[in-house]
């Protein structure tokens, strides 16, 4: 009886895949589709729908990882798919939306700014994937992120569009000014994505016990504002996030100092890049 030359590969191919591992991947695919659909709306000049598509993609991106951990469905495939989805939904799609909305009015600078967002988003996610198997740095130990995450970066880049939608296009009569403002903001967002600045994550935020009720009340008020004035609220949230980045750096330095004081022999490792073949 002949044996298969690839028995391990054949067994892996026939092994059933648990449904719980597919649910997070399906959410990730929906995020990718939402981001790509935003480009379709932008081509038709439907800016509100285009911006909404990116916001929906951000919500779905925040859900897929949590659903995967809840269902114990995390996998390397899911992590790679999530990164590819993020590049599309928060790098390429916002870049094209902003180019069609404003950046094309400032010539080559506008296209360079759009490319910068897409490229920096891809680099940020490549760095994140490379760090998945890396050693535990103080940023990981303390729950901070390195650089602005892709969904937040897309939100910062889209903030001029949010502002314009909130005020019914105050820059429509001055397309060059609109393009210059959008280009400057998109370059800032791109730079923050690939920066090494420590930024907030859900695990790095620590609130005192007495702040629980005010926080819940603030979330309820924010939800009401999102329903009544969504674009103005999204612009304010993007602005507040940008203003919070310096405070994240200060908090990280303080907690790192506390960590080093508790373990004097522990220092932040210096990452050495592998030799180029």
């Amino acid at each position: 009886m002949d044996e298969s030359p690839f028995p391990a590969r054949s067994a892996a191919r026939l092994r059933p895949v648990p449904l719980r591992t597919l649910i997070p991947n399906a959410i990730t695919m929906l995020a990718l589709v939402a981001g790509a659909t935003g480009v379709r709306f932008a081509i038709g000049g439907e800016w509100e729908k285009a911006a909404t598509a990116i916001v929906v993609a951000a919500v779905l991106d925040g859900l897929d990882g949590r659903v995967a951990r809840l269902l114990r469905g995390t996998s390397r495939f899911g992590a790679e798919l999530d990164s590819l989805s993020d590049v599309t939904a928060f790098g390429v799609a916002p870049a094209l939306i902003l180019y069609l909305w404003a950046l094309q009015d400032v010539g080559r600078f506008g296209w360079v700014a759009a490319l910068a967002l897409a490229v920096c988003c891809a680099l940020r996610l490549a760095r994140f994937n490379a760090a998945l198997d890396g050693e535990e740095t103080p940023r990981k130990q303390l729950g901070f992120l390195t650089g602005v995450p892709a969904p937040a970066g897309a939100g910062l880049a889209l903030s001029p569009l949010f502002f314009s939608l909130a005020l019914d296009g105050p820059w429509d009569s001055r397309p060059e000014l609109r393009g210059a403002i959008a280009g400057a903001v998109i370059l800032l967002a791109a730079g923050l994505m690939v920066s090494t600045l420590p930024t907030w994550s859900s695990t790095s935020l620590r609130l005192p016990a007495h702040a629980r009720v005010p926080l819940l009340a603030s979330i309820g008020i924010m939800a009401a504002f999102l329903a009544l004035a969504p674009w103005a609220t999204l612009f304010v949230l993007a602005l507040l996030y940008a203003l919070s980045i310096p405070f994240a750096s200060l908090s990280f330095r303080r907690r790192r100092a506390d960590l080093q004081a508790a373990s004097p022999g522990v220092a932040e490792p210096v990452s050495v890049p592998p030799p180029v073949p």
Side-chain angles (χ1 to χ4, degrees):
M1 181 176 180
D2 295 336
E3 295 184 359
S4 171
F6 306 106
R9 184 181 300 179
S10 300
R13 188 178 301 167
L14 297 176
R15 187 181 300 127
V17 179
L19 180 62
R20 58 184 171 82
T21 65
L22 297 180
I23 294 176
N25 296 340
I27 297 175
T28 301
M29 290 302 301
L30 289 175
L32 187 153
V33 170
T37 303
V39 178
R40 183 264 179 196
F41 287 132
I43 293 173
E46 300 176 274
W47 308 117
E48 288 193 5
K49 292 181 180 180
T52 301
I54 303 300
V55 173
V56 170
V59 173
L60 293 171
D61 182 74
L63 289 176
D64 59 1
R66 288 168 175 78
V67 170
R69 289 188 290 271
L70 180 65
L71 298 178
R72 297 181 181 178
T74 56
S75 64
R76 186 72 190 203
F77 173 82
E80 298 295 340
L81 179 63
D82 184 71
S83 293
L84 292 174
S85 173
D86 286 356
V87 170
T88 302
F90 308 122
V92 177
L96 291 175
I97 290 171
L98 289 168
Y99 180 78
L100 294 171
W101 173 65
L103 296 176
Q104 62 180 335
D105 295 318
V106 289
R108 297 178 181 177
F109 167 73
W111 183 240
V112 170
L115 286 178
L117 182 66
V119 170
C120 289
C121 182
L123 291 174
R124 190 254 183 276
L125 291 164
R127 181 179 64 185
F128 177 81
N129 285 353
L132 287 177
D133 300 324
E135 53 188 326
E136 285 289 316
T137 64
R139 281 187 177 85
K140 283 186 178 181
Q141 294 174 6
L142 298 173
F144 286 85
L145 302 173
T146 301
V148 170
L156 292 176
L158 288 169
S159 58
L161 178 57
F162 296 156
F163 182 83
S164 179
L165 292 173
L167 298 181
D168 296 326
W171 302 316
D172 288 351
S173 60
R174 303 179 66 183
E176 293 82 5
L177 175 63
R178 179 181 62 188
I181 293 174
V185 173
I186 201 173
L187 288 176
L188 175 63
L192 288 173
M193 275 199 262
V194 295
S195 71
T196 57
L197 292 173
T199 55
W200 301 110
S201 71
S202 58
T203 56
S204 63
L205 292 172
R206 300 176 183 175
L207 297 173
H210 65 270
R212 179 182 303 174
V213 173
L215 175 63
L216 293 175
S218 300
I219 293 174
I221 294 172
M222 182 188 69
F225 275 111
L226 278 173
L228 296 175
W231 305 119
T233 305
L234 288 172
F235 173 76
V236 171
L237 290 176
L239 181 62
L240 291 177
Y241 178 80
L243 295 175
S244 74
I245 294 175
F247 295 98
S249 298
L250 292 174
S251 177
F252 168 73
R253 289 174 185 158
R254 184 174 62 251
R255 296 184 193 179
R256 182 178 60 179
D258 294 340
L259 178 65
Q260 292 175 345
S263 305
V266 176
E268 185 169 358
V270 178
S271 57
V272 179
V276 178

